[in-house]
Amino acid sequence: MMMVEEERSIEEHLLQLNDQNDDSGCRVTACVILSTLVAVCGSFSFGVAMGYTSAAEVGIMKDLGLSIAQFSAFGSFNTLGSAIGALFSGKMAISLGRRRTMWVSDILCIIGWFSIAFAKDVMWLNIGRISSGIGLGLISYVVPVYIAEVSPKHVRGTFTFTNQLLQNFGLAMVYFSGNFINWRTLALIGALPCFIQAIGLFFVPESPRWLAKVGTDTELENSLLRLRGRDADISREASEIQVVTKMVENGSSSRSSFWDLFQRKYSYTLVVGIGLMLVQQFSGSSAVVAYASTIFRKSGFSVAIGSTLLGFFMIPKAMIGIILVDKWGRRPLLLTSASGMSISSILIGIAFTLQKMQLLPNLTPIFTFVCLTPYIGTFAIGLGGLPWVTMSEIFPINIKVTAGSIVTLVSFSSSSMVTYAFNFLFEWSTQGTFYIFGGIAGAALLFIWLLVPETKGLSLEEIQTKFLHQPDEINQT
């Protein structure tokens, strides 16, 4: 009863803070922009890793004599390593801080990329792929969380979505340059942004939310002053962060653990976080991005032309998501994304069906490419980046570590399964593979419509206060 009264008083305090006229939390300063740019350097490396197998497939298999099974394993080891990194990402982010975790990630990624670049046999390829994957598993959690925690609430979605934009920059670079750059050189290019990030982290502040969690109030205020401007009044934002941090910590009888996630008040956010990651991966996104060249080759479309055109297409379609995420909101973009992926997958399945029936043989390769383009485009504006944006927003600070690690683990574990199985599924049935992807994307549409909340325009503290009571609201309705 006392806890309920305390939560109500804290909510009233938050409402009073929100009623105050304070524009300091809405300022986009040079420090916020620099912090975001440094953080998303790792996202560029992530994008290179996602598309690397598509660009390097022919060269690696020829130079090192890999079989299809060996190359499929090499492709899936990236997400397997990412799953391992996900296990430790949350704990590292809370014990070391967001910046130090990114430094650890940079070291692992650099070691991994260099191992691939100078590999003489499949063993060193796989070691490098796993090492860089572990680093990318850390990046995938800590980067969106860090950006969400340093950004003003009215542009938080846009800034967090730059994570997806830089992934697409990396993908575009691989698709475009993979036609004429050796696979070893591509691996060295993948390591370059990690060097840049490792240096840039010396010049950006630590997350104020993490500083509030570890109890360093002075450092919290200094971090906010750097992010909002030295002349800004950060008292309201600092108070809001401290109040909600205190609320969520008092709501737990002890330190956050795995079993805390099964408390009824966290069930809704956990279902949303895990559900979005599952539909993101099982709708085929990782496999399509990783093996785009295989799809082009199987359909009869030129791999060089297809990869180059996709490379040019990557950046504009990611920009659409950045422009719309804080105007339309999260839910409309996710619904549009799931609808587009489902329709595109079914149309690709129809194209391969026509090819198998030897109908319209001159048109099916072009039809496949035309349908694959909106599949990747609609994925990018919604299910590509918004599950990570949502994950960084909805979990309270006291379970963000454990919940974020589990959600990231689910993402990469399912991605590893899909990436490894894709070549075998594709050999079994080209059209059947995409019909399955289309059906799962259709199920994602229903899941998003029924369960995924809108968080546009809310501060992290407002979101966490609201969704702690969401199970009760669902039961009442």
Side-chain angles (χ1 to χ4, degrees), residues 22-99:
D22 180 16
D23 297 329
S24 63
C26 296
R27 297 172 64 178
V28 178
T29 63
C31 186
V32 172
I33 295 172
L34 177 63
S35 300
T36 302
L37 290 175
V38 169
V40 296
C41 283
S43 305
F44 183 93
S45 184
F46 191 101
V48 174
M50 288 172 63
Y52 185 75
T53 47
S54 179
E57 180 178 4
V58 175
I60 289 180
M61 294 184 71
K62 180 181 178 182
D63 293 351
L64 299 182
L66 271 62
S67 65
I68 292 178
Q70 287 175 318
F71 189 78
S72 295
F74 168 72
S76 66
F77 281 152
N78 179 63
T79 47
L80 178 62
S82 297
I84 296 171
L87 285 173
F88 304 98
S89 59
K91 288 295 183 184
M92 289 182 66
I94 199 66
S95 60
L96 299 179
R98 296 3 177 181
R99 291 165 68 238

Side-chain angles (χ1 to χ4, degrees), residues 8-293:
R8 285 177 180 171
S9 67
I10 289 173
E11 288 178 27
E12 290 173 1
H13 181 57
L14 283 176
L15 287 173
Q16 291 173 2
L17 289 172
N18 290 336
D19 289 338
Q20 296 175 15
N21 185 19
D22 180 16
D23 297 329
S24 63
C26 296
R27 297 172 64 178
V28 178
T29 63
C31 186
V32 172
I33 295 172
L34 177 63
S35 300
T36 302
L37 290 175
V38 169
V40 296
C41 283
S43 305
F44 183 93
S45 184
F46 191 101
V48 174
M50 288 172 63
Y52 185 75
T53 47
S54 179
E57 180 178 4
V58 175
I60 289 180
M61 294 184 71
K62 180 181 178 182
D63 293 351
L64 299 182
L66 271 62
S67 65
I68 292 178
Q70 287 175 318
F71 189 78
S72 295
F74 168 72
S76 66
F77 281 152
N78 179 63
T79 47
L80 178 62
S82 297
I84 296 171
L87 285 173
F88 304 98
S89 59
K91 288 295 183 184
M92 289 182 66
I94 199 66
S95 60
L96 299 179
R98 296 3 177 181
R99 291 165 68 238
R100 292 191 187 98
T101 301
M102 285 188 267
W103 267 317
V104 173
S105 171
D106 290 332
I107 293 170
L108 290 168
C109 287
I110 289 168
I111 292 172
W113 283 119
F114 271 71
S115 179
I116 293 171
F118 298 103
K120 299 299 182 182
D121 55 42
V122 68
M123 181 186 73
W124 286 106
L125 272 181
N126 292 338
I127 289 173
R129 192 71 165 164
I130 292 173
S131 177
S132 61
I134 294 172
L136 295 172
L138 298 176
I139 282 176
S140 62
Y141 168 78
V142 75
V143 167
V145 168
Y146 175 77
I147 297 173
E149 290 178 344
V150 302
S151 304
K153 65 181 181 180
H154 73 292
V155 292
R156 188 182 61 245
T158 298
F159 273 68
T160 309
F161 210 90
T162 57
N163 177 46
Q164 177 72 10
L165 177 63
L166 265 291
Q167 287 181 20
N168 280 274
F169 267 105
L171 271 172
M173 188 280 299
V174 169
Y175 283 152
F176 180 72
S177 60
N179 293 317
F180 52 86
I181 292 181
N182 182 271
W183 60 273
R184 296 185 186 274
T185 305
L186 278 178
L188 294 175
I189 293 174
L192 180 60
C194 300
F195 281 106
I196 297 173
Q197 184 181 66
I199 296 170
L201 286 169
F202 286 102
F203 303 98
V204 300
E206 182 54 86
S207 160
R209 268 82 181 182
W210 179 74
L211 294 172
K213 172 71 175 176
V214 299
T216 51
D217 293 345
T218 302
E219 290 182 335
L220 159 64
E221 293 172 1
N222 289 336
S223 175
L224 283 174
L225 283 172
R226 290 182 65 184
L227 290 165
R228 305 296 178 246
R230 290 293 176 184
D231 59 338
D233 179 6
I234 50 90
S235 57
R236 172 184 173 273
E237 186 174 5
S239 177
E240 186 176 295
I241 292 171
Q242 290 165 336
V243 164
V244 174
T245 301
K246 178 182 177 182
M247 182 188 75
V248 295
E249 288 183 340
N250 288 345
S252 298
S253 58
S254 61
R255 292 176 64 87
S256 174
S257 68
F258 175 77
W259 301 111
D260 289 339
L261 296 177
F262 297 97
Q263 296 180 41
R264 182 166 165 270
K265 61 182 177 180
Y266 301 136
S267 59
Y268 173 71
T269 54
L270 194 63
V271 168
V272 170
I274 291 177
L276 282 175
M277 293 302 179
L278 287 174
V279 297
Q280 178 195 59
Q281 297 302 333
F282 283 107
S283 57
S285 57
S286 294
V288 170
V289 169
Y291 296 110
S293 60

Side-chain angles (χ1 to χ4, degrees), residues 1 21 51 67 73 123 143 229 262 295 356 367 425 434 446 461:
M1 188 70 178
N21 185 19
S67 65
M123 181 186 73
V143 167
F262 297 97
I295 298 171
K356 188 174 183 180
F367 187 52
L425 279 172
F434 279 96
L446 183 62
E461 287 68 39

